[in-house]
PDB file of all heavy atoms in Angstrom:
ATOM      1  N   ASP I 350      -0.583  14.810 -13.555  1.00  0.00           N
ATOM      2  CA  ASP I 350       0.527  14.240 -12.796  1.00  0.00           C
ATOM      3  C   ASP I 350       0.475  12.715 -12.712  1.00  0.00           C
ATOM      4  O   ASP I 350       1.199  12.106 -11.924  1.00  0.00           O
ATOM      5  CB  ASP I 350       0.548  14.820 -11.380  1.00  0.00           C
ATOM      6  CG  ASP I 350      -0.743  14.525 -10.609  1.00  0.00           C
ATOM      7  OD1 ASP I 350      -1.767  14.232 -11.260  1.00  0.00           O
ATOM      8  OD2 ASP I 350      -0.713  14.586  -9.361  1.00  0.00           O
ATOM      9  N   ILE I 351      -0.385  12.071 -13.520  1.00  0.00           N
ATOM     10  CA  ILE I 351      -0.518  10.616 -13.514  1.00  0.00           C
ATOM     11  C   ILE I 351      -0.404  10.092 -14.941  1.00  0.00           C
ATOM     12  O   ILE I 351      -1.034  10.611 -15.849  1.00  0.00           O
ATOM     13  CB  ILE I 351      -1.859  10.176 -12.890  1.00  0.00           C
ATOM     14  CG1 ILE I 351      -1.924  10.592 -11.409  1.00  0.00           C
ATOM     15  CG2 ILE I 351      -2.058   8.660 -13.011  1.00  0.00           C
ATOM     16  CD1 ILE I 351      -3.264  10.328 -10.756  1.00  0.00           C
ATOM     17  N   GLU I 352       0.395   9.048 -15.132  1.00  0.00           N
ATOM     18  CA  GLU I 352       0.584   8.441 -16.451  1.00  0.00           C
ATOM     19  C   GLU I 352       0.292   6.943 -16.370  1.00  0.00           C
ATOM     20  O   GLU I 352       0.901   6.234 -15.584  1.00  0.00           O
ATOM     21  CB  GLU I 352       2.016   8.655 -16.938  1.00  0.00           C
ATOM     22  CG  GLU I 352       2.320   7.978 -18.261  1.00  0.00           C
ATOM     23  CD  GLU I 352       3.793   8.031 -18.619  1.00  0.00           C
ATOM     24  OE1 GLU I 352       4.593   8.554 -17.811  1.00  0.00           O
ATOM     25  OE2 GLU I 352       4.151   7.530 -19.706  1.00  0.00           O
ATOM     26  N   VAL I 353      -0.664   6.454 -17.172  1.00  0.00           N
ATOM     27  CA  VAL I 353      -0.942   5.019 -17.242  1.00  0.00           C
ATOM     28  C   VAL I 353       0.089   4.391 -18.165  1.00  0.00           C
ATOM     29  O   VAL I 353       0.130   4.681 -19.361  1.00  0.00           O
ATOM     30  CB  VAL I 353      -2.367   4.745 -17.760  1.00  0.00           C
ATOM     31  CG1 VAL I 353      -2.604   3.241 -17.880  1.00  0.00           C
ATOM     32  CG2 VAL I 353      -3.405   5.363 -16.822  1.00  0.00           C
ATOM     33  N   VAL I 354       0.937   3.518 -17.610  1.00  0.00           N
ATOM     34  CA  VAL I 354       2.037   2.952 -18.401  1.00  0.00           C
ATOM     35  C   VAL I 354       1.717   1.569 -18.945  1.00  0.00           C
ATOM     36  O   VAL I 354       2.462   1.043 -19.778  1.00  0.00           O
ATOM     37  CB  VAL I 354       3.336   2.885 -17.574  1.00  0.00           C
ATOM     38  CG1 VAL I 354       3.816   4.284 -17.226  1.00  0.00           C
ATOM     39  CG2 VAL I 354       3.151   2.049 -16.313  1.00  0.00           C
ATOM     40  N   GLY I 355       0.609   0.947 -18.489  1.00  0.00           N
ATOM     41  CA  GLY I 355       0.273  -0.369 -18.997  1.00  0.00           C
ATOM     42  C   GLY I 355      -0.957  -0.952 -18.336  1.00  0.00           C
ATOM     43  O   GLY I 355      -1.509  -0.382 -17.391  1.00  0.00           O
ATOM     44  N   GLU I 356      -1.381  -2.122 -18.864  1.00  0.00           N
ATOM     45  CA  GLU I 356      -2.546  -2.825 -18.342  1.00  0.00           C
ATOM     46  C   GLU I 356      -2.252  -4.317 -18.275  1.00  0.00           C
ATOM     47  O   GLU I 356      -1.352  -4.813 -18.958  1.00  0.00           O
ATOM     48  CB  GLU I 356      -3.766  -2.605 -19.259  1.00  0.00           C
ATOM     49  CG  GLU I 356      -4.182  -1.165 -19.436  1.00  0.00           C
ATOM     50  CD  GLU I 356      -5.395  -1.035 -20.366  1.00  0.00           C
ATOM     51  OE1 GLU I 356      -6.073  -2.065 -20.612  1.00  0.00           O
ATOM     52  OE2 GLU I 356      -5.656   0.080 -20.844  1.00  0.00           O
ATOM     53  N   ALA I 357      -3.023  -5.012 -17.440  1.00  0.00           N
ATOM     54  CA  ALA I 357      -2.939  -6.466 -17.372  1.00  0.00           C
ATOM     55  C   ALA I 357      -4.320  -7.010 -17.026  1.00  0.00           C
ATOM     56  O   ALA I 357      -5.102  -6.357 -16.331  1.00  0.00           O
ATOM     57  CB  ALA I 357      -1.922  -6.903 -16.327  1.00  0.00           C
ATOM     58  N   ALA I 358      -4.627  -8.232 -17.521  1.00  0.00           N
ATOM     59  CA  ALA I 358      -5.961  -8.794 -17.377  1.00  0.00           C
ATOM     60  C   ALA I 358      -6.063  -9.839 -16.269  1.00  0.00           C
ATOM     61  O   ALA I 358      -7.141 -10.367 -16.015  1.00  0.00           O
ATOM     62  CB  ALA I 358      -6.409  -9.401 -18.702  1.00  0.00           C
ATOM     63  N   ASP I 359      -4.946 -10.169 -15.596  1.00  0.00           N
ATOM     64  CA  ASP I 359      -4.994 -11.091 -14.464  1.00  0.00           C
ATOM     65  C   ASP I 359      -3.762 -10.852 -13.604  1.00  0.00           C
ATOM     66  O   ASP I 359      -2.855 -10.107 -13.978  1.00  0.00           O
ATOM     67  CB  ASP I 359      -5.072 -12.549 -14.922  1.00  0.00           C
ATOM     68  CG  ASP I 359      -3.885 -12.971 -15.775  1.00  0.00           C
ATOM     69  OD1 ASP I 359      -2.750 -12.999 -15.238  1.00  0.00           O
ATOM     70  OD2 ASP I 359      -4.085 -13.275 -16.966  1.00  0.00           O
ATOM     71  N   GLY I 360      -3.733 -11.494 -12.432  1.00  0.00           N
ATOM     72  CA  GLY I 360      -2.652 -11.244 -11.505  1.00  0.00           C
ATOM     73  C   GLY I 360      -1.287 -11.647 -12.015  1.00  0.00           C
ATOM     74  O   GLY I 360      -0.296 -10.941 -11.800  1.00  0.00           O
ATOM     75  N   ALA I 361      -1.215 -12.788 -12.694  1.00  0.00           N
ATOM     76  CA  ALA I 361       0.079 -13.254 -13.205  1.00  0.00           C
ATOM     77  C   ALA I 361       0.641 -12.275 -14.230  1.00  0.00           C
ATOM     78  O   ALA I 361       1.831 -11.928 -14.201  1.00  0.00           O
ATOM     79  CB  ALA I 361      -0.072 -14.645 -13.821  1.00  0.00           C
TER      80      ALA I 361
END
Side-chain angles (χ1 to χ4, degrees):
D350 60 340
I351 296 174
E352 176 189 3
V353 178
V354 295
E356 300 180 16
D359 60 65

